[in-house]
């Protein structure tokens, strides 16, 4: 089994938005590679059909009537938020907007 | 000198009109107090699942129909995964593989030549939440999270800013008159991003694409595209190459500015949304959606021109939906649309503007309006009379007849009244009368002027003119 | 003398009706046992106050259905309004849901008493419950052994007879596998049979809530309560809910039963094979047909499962970002730092690994060759199962490849947790109902077998399970050591 490169681990960690230390990177180079190796067994399968089963649910979606239902009170919206500011939930300033 | 050609593609997002949001039952309304219009679904709470609002699907069908798209009858949704604080689940539910509409177009008219602008696809998705910036922080309001959107992606088939502007105006008018969206750019219910690239004329390759995001008005889209064409052309002429980038339009600068150089392709990790099974559209459902569309802008144009309204006034009417809708309530009557539109666009509009009122704030009933217009058209009320009594008509709960009586306005077709006036003028202007009999054309104009002066504009000139000639010839 | 809590639900119900027993009296016994069995570490949150106040409320009304006043334990990935729901993660250590899951609404309406929230693998990712932020629950049959997972706390609770009922969730065997290791009945219903609204999603197209109980009959009773269409979950089925106890007690002798051959191949240990073969003989002796059947792609089921489960998980768990709820890092100066530190500090190892792998599998360069492909093969696998059900009434297989093993044994191997589930994963992939029934022992540890049904055939599965339960007549009290005599 070939280990993942440091760059690969960093790229994947960033995709998942998970900070990794140098030490962790070394660990993931092996453990993620093991998982990928196992997953690669699906390449042994050939000649499957093209219907994608994204859910075992065979019924079509039942659409909802356009009606307004119960909404949260403002304090409920904020209840679990770690940082709030007045009526708002607060985050570090968003750039790139 | 090398000639360059621009290629422009436009992505438009419009917020869809509905009572509740797309995937939750929170109210879909602009301008509510912060964080007062959301449910656990809109906050992306753990364990919550989306439900699908049937009206949004209907609106999607209507939009696809209006934009001449093929409608996808078996659709699913996809997740677009990206981390951003305004994206509550850190994925957006959208349609990547099965957009509700594909291969459409809208028709624009540039220098009297009609041209289709092609639409790649339109799809349904949810809006993000709104953020405001305050120092080192951003503040999130989730009222907008989950509001239904339609994204309309044009083909990169426009070449000038004029085409782009006309395309957007046409799109806005179409969706607005379809009641799909109120298309208010200033409130964010219509948002435009433009992709611009430049290449040597006749070249098969498209140049490097730059995206201009979230431009605040259609006019500014035009300016932004023009500036971007100039910027890129200048760079190419200098022989410089540049990277794909995202820019924004700065209102004050009147120019585009760099936001960020694009990373090597955003990886949105699309995959089918497992929480929403297939949505299957039946013929019946599609028919019902289309049947419930209000009269569209092009149909209105056709109707008004057929009823004799001047093209200029037709456009004025179309830019005022309330008046157009009002006029349309008389579609099946023989009401004179020319007089009616003149009055609506003229005196009635200025009255409403002056008083910051809407048409239905006044005492004008359907019957009163049609009575008023028919009196003018039959000549029973002169334009001047109509002007004089308009305020009363709009403010008092009296019929037009009652108002005329109250204001002591003669029934101007009352022949004895008109005859009395004319006899007086004929007696006082013997010279002109004989001029008339000697065939001098000018005399009749003079006499008519005297009649109208005497009547202080309160009689119908057409009726008076006929009567004058008749009485002169009696002599 | 045995306690009231050890009586069958029918007996308890009769005593309630005769007013010889009250819900409060029963709760006294439950909380006494919770205290005694602290070492099992099967509870994350004990809801003593709420349970007693619910019991007091019940006592004001007439006795209703069979489950009225029966204590139940809830896996801690099912949200309960005003009772913290942690998913056994630091990320949600202090999370207070502001709504009830649909199954919680249903059991409350029926008058069941929630006594606590149960330990599990973090976000249901694992096969031993050892990935819990709150430490592993212990197997009541031997405290140095694993309970299995991810519904390990629920399994241990029922096995130790603390409560007669528990709810678990099953994404890749998380109800059946710990049920097998602890000697209880665990049902993963047909996908769509039970609403997922309020189940904190691991892999949306695989997750299903199900009952974990002492007996087959009681399992069916609980499924009666939680099953049914829910407008809030578009994937919940409109299939009518029959009485799942309807066929229980009916004779079983002309069933055609298939055994998917890969599920009895050399992946299965001798101890398990022995127990399973005993069941097969029993079935044959009683006039049933039992044959091997080939189901496509079972050899690669785990790999396919990994692609789908981790792919979906990476998206489902993206919402844990420290903004609207849950853990948030103390020192974030930018949005990216907020995400990366919060998630790095808030999630445990197994979860991080799976999210990373899932994110990678869905990325544009890989989605087509992994995710899309897995979904296509999944469709074929389901078709193959459905084809088998044209010939067979039910399928049976072992539930686990071995009996429970000692704590800490598989911790360093990122593949172990998947390999433990090799026999249970196929039912999730195909959306089929599957049930674990205790079927024997090896070295004083229980071993279960699995009954797999065609979609919505739970009642037939219960019929076979109750038949075997009666024939096998196992003593499953070995997990009980309360010393209360």
């Amino acid at each position: 089994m070939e280990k993942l490169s440091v760059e690969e681990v960093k790229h994947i960690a960033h995709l998942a938005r998970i900070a990794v230390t140098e030490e962790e990177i070394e660990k993931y180079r092996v453990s993620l590679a093991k998982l990928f190796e196992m997953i690669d067994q699906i390449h042994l399968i050939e000649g499957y059909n093209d219907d994608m089963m994204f859910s075992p649910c065979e019924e079509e979606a039942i659409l909802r009537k356009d009606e307004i239902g119960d909404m949260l009170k403002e304090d409920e919206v904020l209840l679990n938020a770690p940082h709030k500011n007045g009526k708002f939930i607060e985050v570090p300033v968003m750039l790139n907007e | 000198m090398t000639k360059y050609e621009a290629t422009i593609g436009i992505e438009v997002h419009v917020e869809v009109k509905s009572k509740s949001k797309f995937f939750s039952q929170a109210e879909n309304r602009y301008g509510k107090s912060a964080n007062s219009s959301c449910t656990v679904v809109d906050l992306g709470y753990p364990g919550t699942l989306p439900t699908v609002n049937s009206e949004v699907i209907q609106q999607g069908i209507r939009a696809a129909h209006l934009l001449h798209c093929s409608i996808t009858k078996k659709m699913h949704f996809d997740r677009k995964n990206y981390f951003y604080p305004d994206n509550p689940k850190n994925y957006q539910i959208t349609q990547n593989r099965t957009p509700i509409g594909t291969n459409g177009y809208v028709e624009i008219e540039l220098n009297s030549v009609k041209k289709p602008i092609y639409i790649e696809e339109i799809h349904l998705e949810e809006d993000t939440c709104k953020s405001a910036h305050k120092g080192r922080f951003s503040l999130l309001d989730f009222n907008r999270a989950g509001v239904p959107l339609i994204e309309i992606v044009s083909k990169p088939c426009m070449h000038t800013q004029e085409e782009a502007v006309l395309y957007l105006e046409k799109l806005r008018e179409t969706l607005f008159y379809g009641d799909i969206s109120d298309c208010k750019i200033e409130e964010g219910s219509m948002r435009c991003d433009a992709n611009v690239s430049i290449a040597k004329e006749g070249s098969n390759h498209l140049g490097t694409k730059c995206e201009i995001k979230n431009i605040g008005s259609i006019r500014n889209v035009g300016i932004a595209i023009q500036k971007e064409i100039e910027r890129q052309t200048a760079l190419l002429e200098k022989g410089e190459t540049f990277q794909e980038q995202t820019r924004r339009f700065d209102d004050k600068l009147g120019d585009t500015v760099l936001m960020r150089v694009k990373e090597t392709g955003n990886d949105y990790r699309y995959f089918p949304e497992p929480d929403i099974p297939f949505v299957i559209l039946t013929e019946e459902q599609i028919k019902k959606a289309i049947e419930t569309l209000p009269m569209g802008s092009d149909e209105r144009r056709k109707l008004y021109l057929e009823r004799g309204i001047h093209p200029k006034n037709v456009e004025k009417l179309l830019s005022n939906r309330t008046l157009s809708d009002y006029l349309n309530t008389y579609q099946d009557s023989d009401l004179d649309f020319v007089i009616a539109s003149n009055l609506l666009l003229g005196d009635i509009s200025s009255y409403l503007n002056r008083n910051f009122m809407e048409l239905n704030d006044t005492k004008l009933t359907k019957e009163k309006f049609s009575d008023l217009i028919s009196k003018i058209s039959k000549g029973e009320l002169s334009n001047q009379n109509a002007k004089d009594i308009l305020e009363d008509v709009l403010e008092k709960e009296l019929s037009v007849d009652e108002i005329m009586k109250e204001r002591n306005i003669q029934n101007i077709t009352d022949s004895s009244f008109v005859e009395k006036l004319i006899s007086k003028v004929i007696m006082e202007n013997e010279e002109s009368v004989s001029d008339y009999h000697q065939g001098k054309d000018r005399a009749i104009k003079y006499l008519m002027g005297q009649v109208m002066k005497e009547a202080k504009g309160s009689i119908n000139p057409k009726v008076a003119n006929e009567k004058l000639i008749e009485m002169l010839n009696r002599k | 003398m045995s306690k009231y809590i050890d009586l069958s639900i029918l007996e308890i119900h009769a005593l309630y009706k005769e007013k010889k027993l009250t819900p409060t009296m029963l709760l006294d016994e439950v909380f006494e046992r919770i205290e005694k069995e602290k070492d099992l570490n099967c509870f994350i949150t004990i809801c003593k106050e709420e349970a007693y106040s619910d019991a007091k409320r019940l006592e004001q009304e007439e006795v209703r259905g069979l489950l009225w006043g029966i204590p139940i334990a809830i896996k801690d990935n099912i949200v309960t309004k005003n009772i913290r729901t942690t998913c056994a993660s630091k990320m949600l250590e202090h999370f207070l849901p502001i709504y009830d899951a649909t199954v919680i609404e249903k059991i409350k309406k029926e008058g069941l008493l929630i006594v606590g929230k149960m330990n599990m693998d973090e976000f249901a990712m694992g096969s031993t419950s050892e990935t819990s932020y709150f430490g592993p629950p212990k197997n009541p049959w031997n405290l140095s052994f694993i309970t299995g997972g991810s519904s390990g706390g629920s399994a241990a609770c029922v096995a130790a007879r603390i409560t007669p009922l528990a709810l678990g969730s099953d994404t890749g065997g998380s109800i059946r596998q710990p049920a097998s290791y602890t000697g209880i009945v665990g049902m993963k219903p047909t996908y769509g049979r039970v609403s997922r609204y309020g189940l904190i999603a691991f892999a949306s197209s695989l997750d299903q809530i199900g009952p974990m109980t002492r007996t087959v009959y009681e399992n069916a009773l609980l499924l009666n309560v939680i099953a049914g269409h829910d407008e809030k979950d578009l994937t919940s089925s409109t299939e009518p809910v029959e009485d799942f106890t309807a066929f229980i007690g009916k004779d079983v002798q002309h069933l055609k039963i298939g055994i998917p051959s890969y599920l009895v191949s050399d992946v299965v240990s001798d101890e398990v094979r022995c127990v399973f073969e005993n069941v097969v003989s029993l079935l044959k002796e009683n006039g049933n047909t039992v044959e091997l059947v080939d189901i496509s792609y079972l050899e690669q089921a785990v790999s396919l499962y990994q692609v789908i489960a981790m792919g979906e998980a990476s998206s489902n768990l993206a919402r844990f970002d420290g903004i609207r709820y849950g853990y948030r890092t103390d020192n974030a100066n930018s949005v990216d730092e907020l995400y990366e530190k919060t998630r790095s500090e808030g999630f445990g190892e197994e979860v991080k690994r799976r999210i990373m792998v899932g994110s990678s599998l869905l990325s544009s360069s890989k989605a087509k060759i992994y995710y899309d492909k897995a979904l296509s093969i999944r469709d074929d696998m389901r078709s193959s199962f459905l084809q088998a059900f044209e010939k067979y009434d039910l399928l049976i297989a072992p539930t686990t490849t071995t009996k429970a093993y000692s704590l800490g044994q598989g911790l360093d191997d990122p593949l172990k947790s998947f390999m433990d589930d090799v026999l249970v994963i196929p039912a999730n992939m195909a959306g089929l109902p599957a049930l674990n029934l205790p079927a024997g022992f090896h070295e004083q540890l229980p071993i279960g077998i699995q009954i797999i049904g065609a979609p919505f055939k739970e009642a037939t599965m219960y019929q076979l399970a109750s038949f075997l339960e009666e024939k096998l007549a196992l003593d499953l009290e070995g997990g009980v050591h309360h010393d209360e005599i």
Side-chain angles (χ1 to χ4, degrees):
Chain A
M1 182 199 71
E2 206 176 321
K3 286 207 272 182
L4 295 187
S5 71
V6 172
E7 282 64 40
E8 280 171 307
V9 172
K10 280 185 175 168
H11 173 70
I12 293 173
H14 181 67
L15 267 183
R17 295 296 188 279
I18 290 171
V20 282
T21 62
E22 296 304 316
E23 202 182 320
E24 284 168 327
I25 290 174
E26 284 310 311
K27 233 172 46 194
Y28 286 129
R29 288 180 66 190
V30 179
S31 62
L32 299 190
K34 275 189 184 164
L35 281 164
F36 283 122
E37 189 182 48
M38 183 166 181
I39 286 165
D40 276 334
Q41 285 181 23
I42 76 164
H43 297 318
L44 298 173
I45 302 173
E46 287 166 21
Y48 49 92
N49 77 25
D50 275 338
D51 286 337
M52 296 208 309
M53 176 177 163
F54 64 81
S55 165
C57 173
E58 288 189 335
E59 298 174 38
E60 64 184 88
I62 299 175
L63 308 183
R64 157 174 67 79
K65 270 200 195 132
D66 186 19
E67 283 164 0
I68 298 165
D70 291 340
M71 289 179 274
L72 295 172
K73 295 184 201 82
E74 281 160 28
D75 58 329
E76 286 179 307
V77 173
L78 303 176
L79 180 74
N80 281 294
H83 286 200
K84 40 211 147 199
N85 189 329
K87 287 178 169 183
F88 300 90
I89 291 176
E90 186 187 273
V91 291
V93 72
M94 292 153 65
L95 303 168
N96 289 348
E97 245 263 295
Chain B
M1 206 180 93
T2 335
K3 283 194 97 179
Y4 293 98
E5 188 181 48
T7 301
I8 302 158
I10 294 183
E11 286 163 25
V12 174
H13 287 85
V14 294
E15 285 181 351
V16 175
K17 277 200 209 177
S18 61
K19 288 196 204 83
S20 61
K21 291 184 182 179
F22 199 171
F23 300 116
S24 89
Q25 282 192 287
E27 187 176 12
N28 171 17
R29 190 151 68 96
Y30 178 81
K32 289 188 71 179
S33 156
N35 289 316
S36 68
S37 193
C38 38
T39 70
V40 281
V41 177
D42 309 309
L43 287 177
Y45 251 60
T48 58
L49 296 170
T51 55
V52 178
N53 184 346
S54 55
E55 177 59 17
V56 178
I57 302 292
Q58 294 301 89
Q59 291 282 46
I61 296 171
R62 292 184 189 114
H65 172 76
L66 290 172
L67 303 177
H68 311 100
C69 292
S70 318
I71 294 171
T72 309
K73 301 210 176 70
K74 186 178 183 186
M75 308 182 284
H76 68 259
F77 289 86
D78 298 281
R79 290 188 186 177
K80 178 179 179 178
N81 294 284
Y82 66 95
F83 284 90
Y84 210 56
D86 67 4
N87 186 13
K89 302 179 290 297
N90 287 319
Y91 63 80
Q92 178 194 33
I93 305 178
T94 180
Q95 295 186 302
N96 182 45
R97 296 189 203 214
T98 55
I100 189 163
T102 53
N103 292 320
Y105 69 90
V106 295
E107 198 171 62
I108 61 164
E109 199 176 315
L110 182 57
N111 306 324
S112 303
V113 180
K114 287 189 171 157
K115 182 185 174 182
I117 302 294
Y118 294 104
I119 289 167
E120 179 85 37
E121 52 123 319
I122 73 169
H123 62 255
L124 302 168
E125 60 186 25
E126 58 180 332
D127 209 344
T128 53
C129 70
K130 221 163 143 177
S131 57
H133 304 296
K134 193 177 170 189
R136 287 165 42 236
F137 301 107
S138 292
L139 306 180
L140 303 175
D141 172 5
F142 290 79
N143 287 352
R144 202 181 69 183
V147 162
L149 291 178
I150 296 177
E151 180 172 349
I152 300 133
V153 184
S154 84
K155 291 201 168 145
C157 64
M158 287 164 272
H159 301 290
T160 63
Q161 57 107 350
E162 287 89 353
E163 285 181 351
V165 167
L166 287 170
Y167 166 68
L168 288 172
E169 281 172 349
K170 184 70 184 194
L171 204 57
R172 179 167 66 176
E173 185 188 273
T174 305
L175 297 173
F176 176 71
Y177 271 98
D179 273 342
I180 310 292
S181 171
D182 55 19
C183 293
K184 289 182 182 162
I185 297 188
E186 64 284 6
E187 288 179 6
S189 63
M190 180 173 179
R191 310 197 271 272
C192 313
D193 306 329
N195 287 302
V196 179
S197 68
I198 304 285
K200 280 189 185 142
E201 206 168 59
S203 155
N204 288 327
H205 298 283
L206 288 181
T208 309
K209 190 170 77 174
C210 289
E211 186 179 18
I212 317 162
K213 280 235 164 252
N214 240 331
I215 313 167
S217 71
I218 291 181
R219 201 179 78 96
N220 283 349
V221 174
I223 299 172
I225 289 172
Q226 195 52 43
K227 291 284 183 183
E228 187 56 20
I229 292 173
E230 286 165 12
R231 187 186 70 87
Q232 291 186 24
T233 308
L235 286 171
L236 286 182
E237 278 174 350
K238 276 191 271 176
E240 290 180 29
T241 55
F242 50 91
Q243 277 177 291
E244 259 191 45
Q245 50 184 244
T246 304
R247 303 177 70 84
R248 63 178 179 81
F249 185 74
D250 187 312
D251 272 349
K252 285 177 204 133
L253 234 58
D255 202 348
T256 67
V257 291
L258 178 69
M259 276 169 76
R260 58 180 178 265
V261 173
K262 278 225 165 151
E263 296 170 47
T264 44
N266 253 333
D267 200 332
Y268 290 124
R269 289 165 284 135
Y270 285 104
F271 74 102
E273 165 60 289
D275 288 332
I276 306 177
F278 281 107
V279 172
I280 316 269
L281 304 180
T282 61
E283 288 301 334
E284 195 187 350
Q285 190 182 355
I286 294 172
K287 209 173 126 212
K288 200 174 143 201
I290 294 169
E291 274 172 4
T292 47
L293 270 170
M295 188 190 269
S297 49
D298 283 342
E299 259 178 287
R300 288 178 199 239
R301 250 186 208 105
K302 197 166 152 243
L303 171 73
Y304 298 155
L305 290 170
E306 273 170 12
R307 303 279 289 244
I309 302 178
H310 189 276
K312 222 169 170 179
N313 277 357
V314 170
E315 292 311 312
K316 276 192 195 160
L317 266 177
L318 278 163
S319 62
N320 191 329
R321 172 82 182 265
T322 328
L323 297 184
S324 172
D325 283 347
Y326 187 77
L327 190 56
N328 282 10
T329 61
Y330 297 95
Q331 198 187 327
D332 297 325
S333 77
D334 57 2
L335 186 88
D336 188 324
F337 267 38
V338 177
I339 297 174
S341 62
N342 281 340
L343 199 62
L344 283 171
L345 291 166
D347 293 332
I348 292 182
S349 285
S350 48
Y351 173 86
L352 295 176
N353 291 340
R354 211 162 52 235
N355 296 293
F356 305 101
M357 284 166 90
E358 299 283 343
L359 207 48
N360 53 8
D361 298 331
T362 70
K363 298 280 188 297
L364 188 68
T365 60
K366 241 194 120 173
E367 294 71 32
K368 246 163 114 176
F369 185 70
S370 89
D371 194 18
L372 184 68
I373 300 302
S374 96
K375 280 196 160 60
I376 298 171
S377 109
K378 282 188 200 144
E380 293 171 17
L381 202 56
S382 73
N383 287 334
Q384 185 59 46
N385 287 150
K387 233 185 202 9
D388 290 345
I389 65 167
L390 188 66
E391 275 198 25
D392 286 354
V393 171
L394 294 173
E395 288 168 8
K396 291 183 177 169
E397 268 177 66
L398 297 173
S399 71
V400 179
D401 282 325
E402 286 166 330
I403 290 166
M404 284 170 67
K405 203 165 182 187
E406 195 184 77
R407 296 283 297 261
N408 200 21
I409 289 175
Q410 318 290 337
N411 186 340
I412 55 171
T413 51
D414 177 344
S415 49
S416 63
F417 173 70
V418 179
E419 274 174 34
K420 231 191 262 169
L421 266 175
I422 293 174
S423 306
K424 191 175 172 231
V425 170
I426 289 175
M427 276 187 20
E428 285 171 2
N429 294 282
E430 277 176 20
E431 202 177 322
S432 298
V433 172
S434 76
D435 282 354
Y436 170 78
H437 288 297
Q438 283 160 31
K440 288 187 184 166
D441 275 355
R442 242 172 347 114
I444 188 82
K445 272 188 189 156
Y446 174 77
L447 289 169
M448 193 55 208
Q450 294 303 303
V451 171
M452 293 311 285
K453 198 168 149 193
E454 198 67 34
K456 299 188 181 82
S458 73
I459 59 171
N460 183 323
K462 204 172 131 227
V463 174
N465 199 35
E466 279 164 15
K467 199 79 197 167
L468 177 63
I469 292 166
E470 187 201 317
M471 287 174 68
L472 285 170
N473 292 343
R474 255 188 239 162
K475 293 243 160 176
Chain C
M1 186 202 111
S2 72
K3 298 260 178 175
Y4 289 119
I5 193 70
D6 293 318
L7 299 175
S8 75
I9 283 175
L10 283 180
E11 289 166 320
I12 293 172
H13 182 71
L15 290 173
Y16 276 157
K17 282 200 124 168
E18 292 163 24
K19 304 222 186 297
K20 287 182 181 158
L21 179 66
T22 64
T24 301
M25 287 161 68
L26 205 56
L27 282 183
D28 289 342
E29 292 185 1
V30 171
F31 288 108
E32 191 187 322
R33 280 202 182 162
I34 290 175
E35 190 54 34
K36 278 211 170 90
E37 297 290 349
K38 267 198 303 208
D39 291 348
L40 288 177
N41 195 31
C42 60
F43 284 82
I44 289 176
T45 305
I46 298 167
C47 317
K48 202 167 178 175
E49 257 176 60
E50 294 89 344
Y52 275 112
S53 104
D54 288 346
K56 289 269 155 14
R57 202 170 327 114
L58 287 186
E59 284 157 15
Q60 306 301 309
E61 53 174 66
E62 287 303 307
V63 178
R64 286 184 273 123
L66 287 175
L67 297 189
W68 184 93
I70 304 295
I72 187 168
I74 308 292
K75 189 177 181 182
D76 210 18
N77 59 351
I78 299 172
V79 303
T80 40
K81 190 172 180 175
N82 296 329
I83 298 174
R84 84 170 170 154
T85 301
T86 69
C87 266
S89 179
K90 181 180 178 186
M91 190 60 96
L92 292 178
E93 190 179 358
H94 305 294
F95 174 59
L96 208 58
I98 46 182
Y99 75 103
D100 269 330
T102 297
V103 289
I104 299 298
E105 283 181 352
K106 287 188 172 202
I107 63 171
K108 281 184 176 172
K109 207 172 143 215
E110 194 66 20
L112 284 107
L113 298 168
I114 297 170
V115 298
K117 302 298 296 288
M118 310 315 289
N119 207 349
M120 54 184 276
D121 279 301
E122 184 182 10
F123 283 99
M125 297 180 186
S127 65
T128 61
S129 301
E130 289 167 292
T131 68
S132 169
Y133 176 63
F134 300 95
K138 315 275 170 60
N139 193 321
W141 294 79
N142 184 333
L143 294 189
S144 59
F145 280 62
I146 56 154
T147 56
S150 65
S151 310
S154 297
C157 177
V158 174
R161 302 293 185 257
I162 296 173
T163 60
L165 305 172
L167 285 184
S169 73
D170 192 315
T171 305
S174 284
I175 287 175
R176 291 160 285 152
Q177 184 255 46
S180 174
Y181 286 161
T182 58
I184 64 166
V185 182
M187 167 69 108
K188 179 203 96 72
T190 312
Y191 185 85
R193 188 57 115 168
V194 178
S195 169
R196 291 185 295 117
Y197 190 77
L199 170 66
I200 299 179
F202 161 12
S204 315
S205 77
L206 298 157
D207 295 344
Q208 191 65 191
I209 296 172
M212 302 175 79
T213 60
R214 304 174 299 189
T215 67
V216 174
Y217 176 72
E218 292 179 356
N219 200 282
L221 283 182
L222 184 51
L223 186 58
N224 275 347
V225 173
I226 60 172
H229 176 67
D230 178 14
E231 289 176 353
K232 292 182 191 148
D233 175 3
L234 289 173
T235 63
S236 82
S237 171
T238 55
E239 185 79 16
V241 174
E242 58 211 304
D243 173 7
F244 294 111
T245 65
F247 305 147
I248 288 180
K250 287 205 171 150
D251 204 17
V252 170
Q253 51 180 348
H254 298 300
L255 286 181
K256 290 203 72 177
I257 295 167
I259 302 170
S261 31
Y262 180 72
L263 304 188
V264 286
S265 67
D266 56 10
V267 293
V268 177
S269 67
D270 289 342
E271 66 211 36
V272 170
R273 187 181 306 280
C274 178
V275 166
F276 183 70
E277 276 168 5
N278 178 45
V279 170
V280 173
S281 317
L282 194 64
L283 286 169
K284 285 182 175 164
E285 278 163 27
N286 283 277
N288 299 288
T289 315
V290 186
E291 308 173 337
L292 286 176
V293 54
D294 277 327
I295 307 284
S296 313
Y297 307 122
L298 293 187
E299 292 83 347
Q300 284 85 25
V302 174
S303 304
L304 294 166
Y305 168 83
Q306 286 174 321
V307 174
I308 294 167
M310 291 196 255
E312 288 182 17
S314 71
S315 173
N316 283 330
L317 271 67
R319 69 188 63 199
F320 300 102
D321 58 11
I323 295 177
R324 284 140 296 127
Y325 41 74
Y327 176 79
R328 177 185 179 121
T329 186
D330 283 335
N331 45 359
N333 296 312
S334 70
V335 166
D336 258 355
E337 250 182 53
L338 171 67
Y339 289 141
E340 298 198 344
K341 288 187 177 169
T342 295
R343 292 162 64 78
S344 180
E345 294 159 18
F347 287 138
E349 273 319 299
E350 181 79 25
V351 172
K352 284 195 261 191
R353 210 158 47 216
R354 294 197 190 192
I355 293 175
M356 283 196 271
V357 171
S359 302
S360 167
L361 291 171
L362 289 176
S363 63
S364 53
S365 59
K366 294 197 170 133
K368 224 180 161 55
I369 48 171
Y370 288 97
Y371 196 76
D372 292 4
K373 179 169 182 175
L375 291 189
S376 300
I377 301 167
R378 184 183 188 188
D379 191 60
D380 287 347
M381 193 196 289
R382 177 174 165 95
S383 302
S384 180
F385 266 114
L386 295 183
Q387 217 176 337
F389 283 117
E390 286 172 14
K391 194 167 171 203
Y392 300 100
D393 299 303
L394 294 166
L395 302 178
I396 59 168
T399 306
T400 46
T401 56
T402 64
K403 60 180 185 292
Y405 50 87
S406 36
L407 287 157
Q409 194 176 307
L411 279 183
D412 295 328
D413 182 358
L415 303 181
K416 174 85 175 131
S417 66
F418 294 102
M419 291 321 295
D420 281 346
D421 290 336
V422 60
L423 307 178
V424 275
I425 279 171
N428 300 82
M429 292 293 285
L432 302 172
L435 169 148
N436 174 73
L437 179 77
F441 297 95
H442 185 255
E443 294 170 352
Q444 277 97 53
L445 285 170
I447 288 171
I449 64 131
Q450 213 183 165
I451 301 172
I452 304 170
F456 306 106
K457 291 292 180 202
E458 287 91 347
T460 317
M461 294 159 63
Y462 282 131
Q463 179 184 4
L464 178 63
S466 70
F467 169 80
L468 289 173
E469 184 181 44
E470 200 192 318
K471 292 281 173 205
L472 291 165
L474 302 177
D475 176 10
L476 293 166
E477 303 287 309
V480 183
H481 29 78
H482 312 294
D483 301 322
E484 284 161 349
I485 301 156

